[in-house]
Amino acid sequence: MTPNLHLWLIPVLPLVGAAINGLFGKKFSRQAVAGVALCFSGAALIKVLTVAFTFSSLAKPHVEFLAPWIRSGNFQADFSFYLDQLSLVMLLVVTGVGFLIHIYSVGYIWEEGGFYRFFAYLNLFMFFMLTLVLASNYLLMFIGWEGVGLASYLLIGFWFTKDSAASAGKKAFIVNRIGDFGFLLALFLLIKHFGSLNFDQVFSSISPLSAETGGAGLLTAIGLLLMVGAAGKSAQIPLYVWLPDAMEGPTPVSALIHAATMVTAGVYMVSRSHVIFERAPMALTVVAIVGTLTALFAATIGITQTDIKKVLAYSTVSQLGYMFIACGVGAFSAAVFHLMTHAFFKGLLFLAAGSVIHAVSGEQDMRQMGGLRTKIPWTFWTMTIATFAIAGIPPFAGFFSKDEILWRAYQSSWVYWAIGLFTAFLTSFYMFRLWFMTFFGTYRGTAEDTHGDSSHGPDHGHGHGHGGIHESPWVMVGPLVVLAVLSVTGGWIGVPGSLGGDNRFEKFLSPVFHSSIAASGAESHGVATPPEKETESPEPQASHSKELIFTGISVFAGIFGFLLAWQLYYRDPQLPQKIAASLGGLYEAVVHKYYIDELYATLFVKPLIAGSALILWHGIDQNVIDASLDNSAHGANQVSDSARHMQSGNLRSYAGWVAAGAAAVIVYMIWTGTR
């Protein structure tokens, strides 16, 4: 008998926390609000851990029916949850990293207004994200998908009195709706042609189909539309523009939503839909191309940014591109592997950046920092670990997942590999640029140095209560240390055979991504054989040797990025200005992010606003709605004015009207009687 794990408790627990703080938190003390938020998010993590411990004894996938939902003819969609290796990994990432960020937020947001509101939104986000991950059908996934968009809007615009934050929240919401339109169209096609949105039914119907090698077909259309949805949520070209602006939200929001969880929803959705994509080589090629271009494009912008959070924002866009490269070449387990390690080191980078901002009283410009390594040592060492991890330096977590993606990309196309390798170099360069500008040299800011005064309690939030440079309180430093440990060791579960391991992570996910695409001949059309197929038998020693060579090349790219950043931002810090001046317009274009926002404003935003003003406001609102109401009111006024003049107060006039009325009645009676 299949055990009932009560999976519904996992998303419901944070929902209860959101409801309690949202409805009653205004009356609670800050300690009580924090206690509620941490209690319910921590309980969700404990529940996930208990599920993980019993996972090996379950039939996979494990489906738990909760309640009937929609019945229409042969179509059926229920409230039911779906647990397999992929969803378990996502649950651990969302609840684990999410709980650490909740703890960090207690210190960071302590003195901010709307303390209870922030934690209600944070818990609400976790509810929707967990619903998205656990859904057993696309419709329930879409509910979670839309929910995280709503929670993201609320959290990005948390400081809603700040125009830039409110605008960033609206921008994120609108751009995501564009992607969601594509997602919905894909769902309509699935319903029309397969009669279901349940994963098991859809995938079992598609599995016998051969790959669409002759060109675009139904599965290609579905795959491309799903990719549109994924591009919106995971900030890929051309829908990436919302994520850098989303840095207007509090730093814990950036860490949770825009590094560790929400932006990876698109990667998760594509990976979950691998059966569709494996049989649509053209769609897979589009995924790979979009991911490759996004990774390179965002990395080039990151090398010129001076806001510490903006650097990390474009880094996130670039790393998400890496994940889509992996998906596009059929290496779905490598994409999920990088998703997991990225959650560790990028979550740590954002939280450490928040600690830096906290230390220098809210400053975010790296040009106003420098020399902070001795003043905030815990932040420095944890951020150093994360920087080495994202740069792909062994033995840190990012090295293993990024190297796996590059190797799989090379097996599919040397073009993907070459661009990915150059992007890895750029990543290393701009991250060590951030590292040197923030922690080395002399301090260039204005905050008074009160080094040594680091005994602050949790009552000191972001940029409040201090006049000098200070280490963050332990409620903020603690999560940094835990994520630093994960950023070191998190990749060891995926050590490849070329380095003496057996890639246990890939083997763990192998049952999810098992596919017959190899038999359908998709390899001949530029789609790499799924990694799980390749691991069913030991790789030849020659292949290991070749992989080691490419591993060495990728490590060298990371080291070269470090050396270049050291030369430009430590040894000769005046040189970058000279190089920028010599590049002229090219440098200005990169600094202004290739003017993409301005281009979108010219092509889409301004015409839409002008069109809505002309057609909706002047044409419909004023000339139709307002005019009809105004004319009706004017007509009623004229009628009432005419009727008013009948009330003259003159008795002879009244008698005349009575006589005229009586005469009219008599004439009518005589005329009708005659007829």
Side-chain angles (χ1 to χ4, degrees), residues 138-175:
Y138 281 107
L139 191 58
L140 188 56
M141 174 188 276
F142 189 74
I143 297 297
W145 189 273
E146 291 296 286
V148 294
L150 169 64
S152 175
Y153 165 76
L154 295 172
L155 286 165
I156 295 169
F158 174 71
W159 290 313
F160 56 85
T161 57
K162 185 179 175 183
D163 287 341
S164 58
S167 297
K170 288 187 290 184
K171 187 175 184 178
F173 195 81
I174 293 170
V175 173

Side-chain angles (χ1 to χ4, degrees), residues 325-611:
I325 293 174
C327 289
V329 299
F332 296 101
S333 61
V336 177
F337 188 24
H338 196 58
L339 182 157
M340 181 186 72
T341 60
H342 179 263
F344 299 152
F345 59 71
K346 185 55 67 62
L348 174 55
L349 283 168
F350 268 112
L351 295 187
S355 185
V356 170
I357 295 168
H358 172 91
V360 293
S361 302
E363 181 61 66
Q364 294 185 200
D365 192 335
M366 296 185 298
R367 294 170 296 186
Q368 302 301 316
M369 299 178 187
L372 297 179
R373 68 185 185 281
T374 59
K375 301 174 177 62
I376 47 174
W378 284 98
T379 300
F380 166 68
W381 284 111
T382 53
M383 196 166 193
T384 297
I385 290 172
T387 302
F388 275 81
I390 193 174
I393 306 299
F396 299 93
F399 159 73
F400 297 100
S401 57
K402 185 179 290 186
D403 185 64
E404 180 75 11
I405 290 175
L406 288 175
W407 174 240
R408 300 297 184 187
Y410 172 76
Q411 291 178 316
S412 177
S413 169
W414 69 268
V415 176
Y416 299 151
W417 171 81
I419 297 177
L421 181 68
F422 183 63
T423 302
F425 155 71
L426 292 178
T427 301
S428 176
F429 171 71
Y430 66 64
M431 286 309 306
F432 282 112
R433 169 181 176 265
L434 178 153
W435 189 61
F436 282 119
M437 290 182 70
T438 303
F439 295 108
F440 290 84
T442 58
Y443 182 64
R444 300 176 293 274
T446 57
E448 180 186 354
D449 182 0
T450 56
H451 175 54
D453 181 17
S454 58
S455 58
H456 305 297
D459 59 331
H460 296 88
H462 172 214
H464 298 285
H466 308 293
I469 301 172
H470 53 278
E471 182 62 275
S472 298
W474 277 105
V475 72
M476 293 170 63
V477 171
L480 300 184
V481 174
V482 176
L483 286 172
V485 173
L486 292 172
S487 296
V488 175
T489 63
W492 297 354
I493 194 175
V495 179
S498 61
L499 296 176
D502 58 356
N503 206 335
R504 288 174 292 168
F505 188 82
E506 187 176 274
K507 287 185 176 180
F508 178 72
L509 290 178
S510 179
V512 178
F513 298 124
H514 181 76
S515 163
S516 60
I517 188 171
S520 66
E523 303 95 316
S524 62
H525 292 268
V527 182
T529 302
E532 293 70 30
K533 286 291 179 183
E534 298 171 7
T535 58
E536 289 176 359
S537 59
E539 292 181 319
Q541 187 61 37
S543 178
H544 283 330
S545 301
K546 188 175 184 180
E547 186 175 353
L548 278 175
I549 293 173
F550 280 86
T551 297
I553 294 173
S554 65
V555 172
F556 175 76
I559 294 174
F560 183 58
F562 166 80
L563 293 175
L564 184 60
W566 171 78
Q567 175 67 30
L568 295 179
Y569 295 96
Y570 181 78
R571 187 176 180 183
D572 190 0
Q574 302 304 318
L575 188 56
Q577 296 179 357
K578 298 176 182 178
I579 295 175
S582 66
L583 292 175
L586 176 61
Y587 178 78
E588 287 298 315
V590 178
V591 167
H592 290 90
K593 297 159 285 189
Y594 300 105
Y595 301 100
I596 297 298
D597 283 307
E598 291 81 357
L599 178 64
Y600 282 7
T602 301
L603 294 179
F604 304 113
V605 179
K606 291 179 181 178
L608 281 173
I609 293 175

Side-chain angles (χ1 to χ4, degrees), residues 152-443:
S152 175
Y153 165 76
L154 295 172
L155 286 165
I156 295 169
F158 174 71
W159 290 313
F160 56 85
T161 57
K162 185 179 175 183
D163 287 341
S164 58
S167 297
K170 288 187 290 184
K171 187 175 184 178
F173 195 81
I174 293 170
V175 173
N176 271 272
R177 298 293 75 74
I178 297 172
D180 295 348
F181 180 67
F183 194 176
L184 275 175
L185 291 179
L187 301 192
F188 295 154
L189 286 177
L190 288 173
I191 294 172
K192 176 175 176 58
H193 293 279
F194 300 104
S196 177
L197 291 178
N198 295 321
F199 294 147
D200 284 340
Q201 295 179 33
V202 170
F203 298 156
S204 62
S205 299
I206 293 175
S207 291
L209 302 180
S210 59
E212 295 178 343
T213 56
L218 172 63
L219 297 182
T220 299
I222 294 173
L224 291 175
L225 290 170
L226 288 176
M227 181 55 195
V228 171
K233 196 67 71 183
S234 293
Q236 298 295 286
I237 290 175
L239 302 179
Y240 73 94
V241 291
W242 67 270
L243 192 144
D245 286 13
M247 297 302 108
E248 291 291 341
T251 300
V253 173
S254 304
L256 178 65
I257 295 181
H258 308 120
T261 53
M262 189 192 92
V263 291
T264 61
V267 180
Y268 170 74
M269 184 262 282
V270 171
S271 299
R272 174 62 72 197
S273 308
H274 68 97
V275 175
I276 297 173
F277 282 94
E278 286 171 342
R279 285 152 185 83
M282 185 179 294
L284 267 186
T285 301
V286 170
V287 172
I289 292 174
V290 169
T292 303
L293 294 177
T294 302
L296 176 62
F297 181 80
T300 59
I301 297 177
I303 63 178
T304 63
Q305 297 300 301
T306 55
D307 184 313
I308 190 171
K309 288 177 66 176
K310 286 292 182 70
V311 175
L312 298 179
Y314 282 103
S315 171
T316 299
V317 176
S318 182
Q319 295 302 303
L320 289 165
Y322 257 102
M323 298 176 206
F324 278 99
I325 293 174
C327 289
V329 299
F332 296 101
S333 61
V336 177
F337 188 24
H338 196 58
L339 182 157
M340 181 186 72
T341 60
H342 179 263
F344 299 152
F345 59 71
K346 185 55 67 62
L348 174 55
L349 283 168
F350 268 112
L351 295 187
S355 185
V356 170
I357 295 168
H358 172 91
V360 293
S361 302
E363 181 61 66
Q364 294 185 200
D365 192 335
M366 296 185 298
R367 294 170 296 186
Q368 302 301 316
M369 299 178 187
L372 297 179
R373 68 185 185 281
T374 59
K375 301 174 177 62
I376 47 174
W378 284 98
T379 300
F380 166 68
W381 284 111
T382 53
M383 196 166 193
T384 297
I385 290 172
T387 302
F388 275 81
I390 193 174
I393 306 299
F396 299 93
F399 159 73
F400 297 100
S401 57
K402 185 179 290 186
D403 185 64
E404 180 75 11
I405 290 175
L406 288 175
W407 174 240
R408 300 297 184 187
Y410 172 76
Q411 291 178 316
S412 177
S413 169
W414 69 268
V415 176
Y416 299 151
W417 171 81
I419 297 177
L421 181 68
F422 183 63
T423 302
F425 155 71
L426 292 178
T427 301
S428 176
F429 171 71
Y430 66 64
M431 286 309 306
F432 282 112
R433 169 181 176 265
L434 178 153
W435 189 61
F436 282 119
M437 290 182 70
T438 303
F439 295 108
F440 290 84
T442 58
Y443 182 64

Side-chain angles (χ1 to χ4, degrees), residues 12-57:
V12 164
L13 284 167
L15 178 63
V16 173
I20 293 174
N21 275 333
L23 295 174
F24 310 110
K26 195 171 184 178
K27 301 177 182 178
F28 292 169
S29 66
R30 291 177 184 261
Q31 290 85 352
V33 169
V36 169
L38 294 179
C39 175
F40 285 97
S41 59
L45 172 60
I46 292 172
K47 178 60 180 174
V48 170
L49 291 174
T50 60
V51 169
F53 283 127
T54 59
F55 182 75
S56 60
S57 63

